[in-house]
Amino acid sequence: MQFILVTYDIENDRRRTKIHKLLEGYGLAVQYSVFECFVSDEEYAKMRMRLQKLLDPKHPIDSVRYYVLCRNCVERVDIDGNRDFAVESPFIIS
Amino acid sequence: MQFILVTYDIENDRRRTKIHKLLEGYGLAVQYSVFECFVSDEEYAKMRMRLQKLLDPKHPIDSVRYYVLCRNCVERVDIDGNRDFAVESPFIIS
């Protein structure tokens, strides 16, 4: 399993909502456009393929970024302000 | 030096603008509320302290999250859509 941070910038409201809803099936929104996902390699590939279909390849700004974090990096996360936990798993970030 | 991904959710427009401007002094906005910074330990501590002063500790939602990425994790970043490079350094993410 992998810990993947997904961040996105999507201009169109409908498209952004679809992307947000899709990601809810793979992880937890820790901020409006930031998801923490704890997924297998297969799930990651499928999630990314489904998201690519929702993206407008010609849009100048829209983007989705995927940061795959190792256990070490996950354990070094710092949070200020609202500290909602992310994925309930061994990778609990507190 | 460290690669630090900073993501934030700030409700108030003025406060959010101040935080965005402050982060511009430490890294590159790769998405509206996502910065990639390449900073020393001292710079990270100072950046975080300055950001904490801008945060409203009583706000129920506002938050800033800091993901410190090792070289391995930086090199595994995937991007779909707009592929603006982040920090011009050995940690170029393409």
Side-chain angles (χ1 to χ4, degrees):
Chain A
M1 298 288 273
Q2 298 193 76
F3 183 99
I4 300 176
L5 185 76
V6 183
T7 71
Y8 60 82
D9 250 0
I10 305 293
E11 196 172 39
N12 176 281
D13 290 342
R14 263 170 55 86
R15 192 188 305 275
R16 189 173 54 247
T17 304
K18 279 185 188 167
I19 284 175
H20 192 98
K21 283 211 158 56
L22 191 150
L23 283 166
E24 283 178 333
Y26 292 96
L28 199 74
V30 292
Q31 292 174 339
Y32 284 112
S33 58
V34 175
F35 274 77
E36 292 184 354
C37 306
F38 189 53
V39 291
S40 66
D41 291 346
E42 293 71 31
E43 285 167 327
Y44 176 31
K46 196 175 164 200
M47 170 176 84
R48 191 170 172 199
M49 206 180 54
R50 292 176 66 195
L51 285 169
Q52 283 166 343
K53 283 182 189 154
L54 292 176
L55 276 178
D56 168 8
K58 292 183 296 308
H59 194 283
I61 294 176
D62 282 5
S63 69
V64 183
R65 298 176 79 96
Y66 305 88
Y67 298 88
V68 182
L69 271 65
C70 62
R71 175 178 288 271
N72 254 351
C73 288
V74 170
E75 282 161 8
R76 294 195 301 177
V77 177
D78 285 325
I79 303 169
D80 288 330
N82 175 24
R83 311 180 59 79
D84 264 350
F85 280 14
V87 176
E88 294 310 322
S89 73
F91 281 120
I92 289 177
I93 302 170
S94 53
Chain B
M1 297 288 274
Q2 295 193 79
F3 183 100
I4 300 176
L5 184 75
V6 183
T7 70
Y8 59 83
D9 249 358
I10 304 294
E11 198 172 36
N12 176 281
D13 290 344
R14 264 170 56 87
R15 191 189 306 277
R16 188 172 56 248
T17 304
K18 278 186 190 168
I19 283 175
H20 192 97
K21 284 213 160 54
L22 191 151
L23 282 166
E24 282 178 334
Y26 291 96
L28 198 74
V30 293
Q31 292 173 338
Y32 283 112
S33 57
V34 176
F35 274 77
E36 292 183 354
C37 306
F38 189 55
V39 290
S40 67
D41 291 346
E42 293 71 32
E43 285 167 327
Y44 177 31
K46 196 175 165 200
M47 171 176 85
R48 191 169 172 199
M49 206 179 54
R50 291 176 66 194
L51 284 169
Q52 284 166 342
K53 283 183 187 154
L54 291 176
L55 276 179
D56 168 7
K58 290 183 298 307
H59 194 283
I61 294 176
D62 282 7
S63 70
V64 183
R65 297 175 80 95
Y66 306 87
Y67 299 88
V68 181
L69 270 66
C70 62
R71 176 179 288 270
N72 253 350
C73 288
V74 170
E75 282 160 8
R76 294 195 302 177
V77 177
D78 285 324
I79 303 169
D80 288 329
N82 176 24
R83 309 180 60 76
D84 263 350
F85 280 13
V87 175
E88 295 311 319
S89 71
F91 280 121
I92 289 176
I93 302 169
S94 55

